[in-house]
Structure formats: structure tokens, C-alpha cells
Amino acid sequence: MYRIGLGGALLTILLAGCSAGQTPDEAPTPPSTSQRDACGADALNDYQGRRATESTLARLEEEGDAERVRVVGPNQAVTMDYRAQRLNVKLDDRQRIVELTCG
């Protein structure tokens, strides 16, 4: 019978954990051509440069084909999940709309 010291047992456990076979998260796949404007962002380009007031955002929801509208402020962290039916309204530090994208 073999005697494994505490250090050897700990090393065995750590090495087993490293080979668990988990793969790292993959980068999101880029949208296909048909998904690029699934939320209707292209038709809303006239809103670029306008202030993002409540009424402006409400009109974006009404006029666009998006299921959801996500307002993204400058330097704001957002999730990397891609949702073709979501309209992203990107703002500058003066609360003006600088970009409208699906995703």
C-alpha cells in the first residue's frame, strides 16, 4: 500500500481540477446579414444627434421593430450577449444619441 503525504494528496487534487475539461467561453458569433437590422435600427438613423429624452426613447420604441431598447451611456459596461431584436441606443456624455445598433 502506498502512503501519500498531505502535500502529495493536495497536489493530486489540484491537478485533477485543472484537467476537468472546461472550455473557456467563446466570443459571440457575429450576426448574419439578415440579423444586422432585425430591430429596425437602420430606419431610425435620423435620431442620431438628438438628446435621449424620455419622449425620444419612447418614439424609438414605437417606430422601431425592437422587442427591447437598451440605453448605453458613455463608458458603461454592458453584457456581451447578442440579441438581434434588441435596439442599442448609445449615448455620449451630453446624453445625445451617437449610434443605434441591433444586438
Side-chain angles (χ1 to χ4, degrees):
M1 187 165 189
Y2 296 101
R3 286 187 80 193
I4 300 176
L6 183 59
L10 183 58
L11 181 62
T12 303
I13 292 170
L14 289 174
L15 289 175
C18 290
S19 64
Q22 296 247 345
T23 58
D25 293 335
E26 294 181 14
T29 56
S32 68
T33 304
S34 63
Q35 289 180 325
R36 263 188 216 131
D37 194 40
C39 70
D42 287 346
L44 303 171
N45 280 333
D46 290 343
Y47 284 90
Q48 287 188 20
R50 293 187 189 181
R51 284 190 55 75
T53 62
E54 285 186 38
S55 62
T56 301
L57 295 173
R59 283 195 304 259
L60 285 171
E61 282 188 60
E62 291 171 13
E63 294 177 24
D65 294 332
E67 292 176 359
R68 294 180 181 184
V69 175
R70 174 170 66 173
V71 179
V72 181
N75 302 315
Q76 179 180 340
V78 294
T79 60
M80 293 295 293
D81 62 320
Y82 183 83
R83 298 181 188 271
Q85 292 294 321
R86 177 175 56 203
L87 175 66
N88 295 307
V89 181
K90 297 178 184 176
L91 308 178
D92 65 10
D93 50 351
R94 295 182 304 153
Q95 300 301 303
R96 297 205 181 276
I97 299 170
V98 293
E99 187 177 16
L100 297 161
T101 61
C102 298

